Amino acid sequence: MKIERAVVREIPLRLREVFESSSGEVQNKRVLLLTLFGEGLEGWGECVAWADPSYSDETVDTAWHVLTEFVLPTVVGQEAADPGSLLEAVRWVRGHRMAIASVEMAAWDLTARAEGVSLSEKLGGTRTMVPVGVSVGLKNTDEGLLRVIADYLEEGYARAKIKIKPGRDIEMLSLVRERFPSVALVADANSAYTLADLPRLKELDGLHLEMIEQPLARDDFLGHARLQGEIATRICLDESISSAHDTALALELGSCRTINIKPGRVGGLGESGRIHDLMRAAELPVWCGGMLESGIGRAHNLALASLPGFTLPGDISASRRYWERDIVAPEFEVIDGLMAVPSAPGIGVEVDVGRIEALTVREAAFVA
Ligand code: OSB
Ligand code: MG
């Protein structure tokens, strides 16, 4: 299919609550949305870059720059037999995976719609319901944290992920474990530790966590391998993994025993599938992470999480966990720890274009 037109828009979306991690806090999200047009159809993607470079090198503004100056002018007019061939055209762009992923994901939606199949089916998904958890930001008080977790568990999430940092870790997690003895718990450090913290990190083993996510620096594959050799708790890599190559390195070194795959972080759904396949061949589970996406990014994540290797609950929570009102219909819901994978063509939810247009603060369009 020929890509006839591409549009990138920025909209502000306000989270219902501040989300804090060891790498900073956010409430007013700046969301970049991508639309590709061809054969009378449209495909949607979302760029997961944040306003600041606290999670990754990329930001909303670097993504805007790379998309509008380099990627979208190259993409329009291309014959996209599949999303992979579209990526070939922008292979010359180094890095900027989040920017590129937003286009790749829009291309997956577009081609799935053209074929009349759901994105899940197109990706090789095997499940119609996927287990989902919730990611809980840092809270000022233990009581506040316990209350929020209790509320989420009440809503049916299959597990709770708790953000940690030095000073808010073992004691806090012990209280959570005491209060919820049999709930599946994950701790996410967003790189807040070094190997000098080894004695502290070893204490995690007593808490029976499902995993500790990204304890060390994102480029510290060796440190993570050493740490995994010292602790029984499964290490999950998030920020460290940008590609299938990184995955192969982590597997070779033993840096982790699971990966949080975020399609935006790794350059798209195609690369996500390759990471999934490598981990599956190594008989290790993966799960789908989140970047506090709108319903558009969430729909992509959900389709990905329907692949067979995604056996652990993802950070794919209900629309109302994030937003007063989502930009897709129907909104995403969680029932008994599960979320239904849309079966309609493409991402399978209706995009509220009118509302997006009303919210748009900047827009750039490219025509073949
Ligand atoms: O580290 O997984 C993370 C959100 C933004 C950036 C990084 C992370 C997160 C989350 C939230 O944990 C997951 C979600 O979208 O619910
Ligand atoms: Mg993480």
Side-chain angles (χ1 to χ4, degrees):
M1 163 183 327
K2 187 172 161 183
I3 305 297
E4 292 155 8
R5 203 156 73 89
V7 176
V8 56
R9 292 187 181 92
E10 178 177 339
I11 63 166
L13 276 186
R14 186 174 166 83
L15 287 161
R16 288 176 55 183
E17 279 165 36
V18 175
F19 185 84
E20 186 183 348
S21 74
S22 69
S23 45
E25 57 173 62
V26 62
Q27 179 151 33
N28 294 309
K29 262 208 100 192
R30 293 172 59 195
V31 179
L32 288 190
L33 298 175
L34 239 296
T35 325
L36 296 181
F37 298 83
E39 286 176 13
L41 296 167
E42 56 192 62
W44 287 83
E46 174 170 349
C47 181
V48 301
W50 282 42
D52 66 41
S54 56
Y55 172 83
S56 67
D57 304 39
E58 290 183 81
T59 67
V60 170
D61 290 319
T62 68
W64 182 273
H65 168 64
V66 169
L67 284 167
T68 58
E69 295 291 326
F70 309 109
V71 175
L72 296 180
T74 310
V75 159
V76 290
Q78 292 283 336
E79 274 298 333
D82 57 73
S85 65
L86 201 58
L87 275 194
E88 282 302 312
V90 289
R91 240 178 123 85
W92 59 277
V93 177
R94 298 277 180 262
H96 300 285
R97 288 171 191 268
M98 292 177 174
I100 288 171
S102 64
V103 180
E104 194 246 23
M105 291 162 83
W108 277 98
D109 182 27
L110 181 63
T111 49
R113 285 185 206 227
E115 291 167 23
V117 299
S118 70
L119 181 56
S120 165
E121 189 179 339
K122 182 150 173 72
L123 292 171
T126 53
R127 273 170 296 151
T128 56
M129 304 286 278
V130 304
V132 294
V134 61
S135 175
V136 184
L138 285 160
K139 304 288 171 197
N140 293 332
T141 65
D142 293 332
E143 302 76 64
L145 176 67
L146 291 170
R147 199 172 337 109
V148 173
I149 295 172
D151 288 347
Y152 284 139
L153 294 175
E154 186 85 6
E155 288 172 36
Y157 289 101
R159 64 106 175 100
K161 169 169 128 180
I162 298 152
K163 295 288 183 179
I164 60 167
K165 64 177 182 182
R168 296 289 288 159
D169 49 26
I170 307 295
E171 292 74 12
M172 179 183 84
L173 288 171
S174 301
L175 284 176
V176 177
R177 179 45 88 209
E178 215 169 276
R179 173 82 189 274
F180 308 103
S182 57
V183 164
L185 296 175
V186 170
D188 187 0
N190 291 104
S191 297
Y193 297 86
T194 70
L195 275 184
D197 300 307
L198 185 60
R200 197 93 185 124
L201 291 167
K202 277 185 162 182
E203 290 185 52
L204 289 169
D205 280 346
L207 295 167
H208 308 290
L209 304 178
E210 301 300 301
M211 68 189 80
I212 165 128
E213 184 174 333
Q214 197 68 42
L216 309 177
R218 68 174 180 166
D219 55 354
D220 198 0
F221 285 80
L222 207 48
H224 278 107
R226 290 194 176 130
L227 179 61
Q228 187 65 95
E230 300 278 339
I231 63 173
T233 306
R234 192 189 278 277
I235 292 181
C236 170
L237 291 179
D238 173 353
E239 285 90 328
S240 290
I241 304 294
S242 298
S243 64
H245 288 301
D246 287 340
T247 304
L249 177 63
L251 286 172
E252 181 72 27
L253 292 173
S255 310
C256 66
R257 295 210 292 259
T258 184
I259 290 176
N260 160 346
I261 302 182
K262 296 176 181 173
R265 190 191 67 226
V266 304
L269 292 164
E271 195 70 2
S272 297
R274 287 185 282 278
I275 294 170
H276 162 271
D277 295 348
L278 280 174
M279 292 294 279
R280 217 163 165 230
E283 293 179 10
L284 291 172
V286 295
W287 55 282
C288 186
M291 292 290 288
L292 311 175
E293 289 93 342
S294 77
I296 292 173
R298 192 163 317 285
H300 283 276
N301 291 349
L302 194 50
L304 178 67
S306 70
L307 268 63
F310 286 78
T311 53
L312 299 172
D315 279 344
I316 309 175
S317 308
S319 295
R320 71 158 177 276
R321 180 258 174 268
Y322 308 94
W323 321 108
E324 213 54 70
R325 198 175 137 204
D326 209 334
I327 54 172
V328 302
E331 296 204 344
F332 290 104
E333 287 181 4
V334 176
I335 297 165
D336 293 335
L338 298 169
M339 195 176 277
V341 182
S343 55
I347 60 172
V349 284
E350 205 178 309
V351 176
D352 189 345
V353 183
R355 175 134 177 272
I356 290 169
E357 280 173 350
L359 287 170
T360 296
V361 292
R362 60 174 164 169
E363 175 175 343
F366 300 80
V367 186

